[in-house]
Amino acid sequence: MRRVLLTGGSRGIGRAIKENLSCDFEVIAPSREELDLLDNASIDTFMRRNREFDIVINNAGINIIKPLQDISDLDIRKINTINLESPLKLIRECVPHMKEQNYGRIVNLSSIWGVRSKELRTLYSGTKFGLIGQTKALARELGEHNILLNAVCPGFTNTELTSASLSRQQRDEMESEIPVKRFAQPDEIAELVAFLVGNLNTYITGQAIVIDGGFTA
């Protein structure tokens, strides 16, 4: 049974991914206490104990929505550390094992705001565009070792955070702009991730796959 490292597996899309994969894979989804992505020492400690992963899914992330003049240095450091730097560090630690066995699958959860953007998304889009850039560069570097890397870019998704942050009117307005007229369900995103890390994917790598009901079409 292949071992999966999944970050951000406690809720939303991450929880759906964990539930989807748990029947066929050994899924390790550390809590924040076990793996604090803001703390280099925590990452180092966790990875010293857990290096032999066949699959890495970087799902954890934060979103800071602010106008330019309100963005602090702390905001910049925090979102870049969690969304951009920590995924690269985890990949770096796991790749030696993948090279040894000539097999690896890595999925980075980006966003539709990593392929286009809008006002107030400077911090978030900066990291999500960057994550796609890392994915593409590493796909070229690691392909010869049968290590496939892809980014998944969800659109509006029906998570707990979405439900708590939007009024019914706001949600109705947003759904009206989506061609399929609804938000994605977390398990729909999880199905795409499961395909990319599963046995059926033997050749797709270096892609940023948008799953948004046609919103960015």
Side-chain angles (χ1 to χ4, degrees):
M1 183 174 285
R2 297 196 187 278
R3 297 185 79 227
V4 178
L5 172 59
L6 167 66
T7 64
S10 64
R11 63 180 183 174
I13 292 172
R15 184 169 63 193
I17 293 170
K18 182 179 179 181
E19 291 173 354
N20 184 296
L21 297 181
S22 290
C23 291
D24 299 314
F25 300 89
E26 180 187 355
V27 180
I28 309 300
S31 65
R32 186 176 299 175
E33 290 70 28
E34 296 170 301
L35 177 60
D36 183 351
L37 298 178
L38 271 173
D39 185 352
N40 281 332
S42 176
I43 294 174
D44 291 343
T45 299
F46 179 84
M47 294 310 302
R48 278 199 300 271
R49 298 171 181 167
N50 302 273
R51 290 180 184 272
E52 295 187 353
F53 290 104
D54 310 297
I55 297 164
V56 176
I57 302 170
N58 285 306
N59 171 69
I62 61 171
N63 190 2
I64 299 175
I65 301 174
K66 288 184 176 181
L68 177 62
Q69 62 270 20
D70 293 341
I71 295 173
S72 68
D73 289 349
L74 179 60
D75 291 332
I76 296 170
R77 288 195 298 273
K78 184 175 182 181
I79 199 167
N80 278 284
T81 298
I82 293 176
N83 288 12
L84 193 57
E85 295 176 16
S86 63
L88 182 59
K89 291 175 183 177
L90 297 180
I91 292 169
R92 181 184 63 191
E93 296 303 313
C94 293
V95 158
H97 170 71
M98 295 179 180
K99 285 183 176 180
E100 286 178 6
Q101 61 180 359
N102 197 46
Y103 178 91
R105 298 290 183 268
I106 298 168
V107 172
N108 292 318
L109 269 292
S110 181
S111 168
I112 54 170
W113 308 123
V115 295
R116 57 166 286 185
S117 196
K118 63 182 297 186
E119 61 278 3
L120 310 184
R121 296 300 196 283
T122 302
L123 291 174
Y124 189 67
S125 282
T127 60
K128 294 302 184 178
F129 271 85
L131 199 58
I132 291 172
Q134 288 182 3
T135 301
K136 289 179 175 292
L138 288 171
R140 296 190 63 89
E141 179 177 343
L142 301 174
E144 65 181 297
H145 303 285
N146 191 32
I147 301 172
L148 308 184
L149 292 94
N150 291 286
V152 169
C153 306
F156 299 108
T157 305
N158 189 29
T159 64
E160 299 94 328
L161 184 60
T162 300
S163 298
S165 61
L166 295 177
S167 69
R168 183 68 253 182
Q169 180 180 352
Q170 289 173 320
R171 179 165 178 148
D172 288 345
E173 291 173 355
M174 294 167 72
E175 287 181 334
S176 70
E177 298 180 16
I178 302 170
V180 300
K181 303 303 179 187
R182 66 175 178 85
F183 285 9
Q185 294 300 321
D187 62 287
E188 292 178 298
I189 313 300
E191 285 286 351
L192 174 57
V193 174
F195 171 78
L196 291 171
V197 303
N199 292 331
L200 292 177
N201 179 28
T202 57
Y203 203 63
I204 300 172
T205 193
Q207 303 306 305
I209 303 172
V210 175
I211 176 169
D212 68 350
F215 179 77
T216 57

